[in-house]
């Protein structure tokens, strides 16, 4: 499991570095984020959800049927949208209402 960071989108806000529980994300000489220890990433997706410019994407591994798909999130008020980009270019979107998601 790991993430990838698109440096061309990164604005250097540092949010991903702050939330990573394993301190796996570092800052390069230009202030852009990069994952220094990808093998240690356990896929909590905190950095994906925090990035304001969708520069962080999470790999969906073959073991869960991802087949190389990448996921990023878009935040719209209470709605967190999970955007899945498949390797063939197909895009799927799943909207989660954050207020409703914590109700059991
Ligand atoms: S998914 Fe979680 S563990 Fe992996 S780099 Fe992002 S914040 Fe760190
Ligand atoms: S949260 Fe996004 S924009 Fe901010 S430093 Fe990380 S990758 Fe760059």
């Amino acid at each position: 499991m790991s993430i990838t960071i698109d440096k061309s989108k990164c604005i250097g806000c540092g949010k991903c570095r702050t939330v990573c529980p394993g301190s796996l994300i570092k800052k390069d000489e230009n202030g852009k984020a990069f994952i220094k220890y990808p093998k240690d990433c356990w896929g909590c997706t905190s950095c994906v959800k925090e990035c304001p410019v969708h520069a962080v994407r999470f790999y969906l591994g073959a073991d869960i049927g991802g087949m190389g798909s990448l996921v990023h999130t878009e935040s719209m008020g209470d709605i967190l949208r999970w955007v899945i980009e498949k390797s063939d270019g197909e895009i799927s979107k799943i909207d989660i209402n954050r207020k409703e998601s914590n109700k059991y």
Side-chain angles (χ1 to χ4, degrees):
M1 265 181 222
S2 188
I3 52 130
T4 179
I5 299 175
D6 183 345
K7 285 190 181 184
S8 69
K9 288 184 179 174
C10 176
I11 56 172
C13 70
K15 288 184 176 181
C16 57
R17 285 185 285 118
T18 301
V19 297
C20 180
S23 301
L24 309 177
I25 301 173
K26 303 297 179 187
K27 181 170 68 172
D28 72 10
E29 63 280 5
N30 297 312
K32 307 271 186 171
F34 71 100
I35 181 156
K36 188 168 184 182
Y37 309 104
K39 287 182 179 171
D40 291 339
C41 170
W42 59 89
C44 72
T45 71
S46 296
C47 55
V48 178
K49 290 183 276 188
E50 282 299 316
C51 182
V53 293
H54 320 140
V56 185
R57 295 184 295 170
F58 179 71
Y59 285 110
L60 286 181
D63 54 334
I64 56 171
M67 304 296 286
S69 300
L70 288 164
V71 180
H72 72 268
T73 60
E74 297 170 0
S75 189
M76 296 163 286
D78 291 337
I79 302 297
L80 183 67
R81 173 169 288 167
W82 294 83
V83 181
I84 303 163
E85 305 162 57
K86 296 183 181 172
S87 51
D88 63 3
E90 185 184 337
I91 293 183
S92 303
K93 298 176 182 178
I94 302 168
D95 288 350
I96 303 293
N97 185 318
R98 284 185 261 229
K99 281 187 177 168
E100 300 292 327
S101 64
N102 287 327
K103 288 182 182 173
Y104 292 99

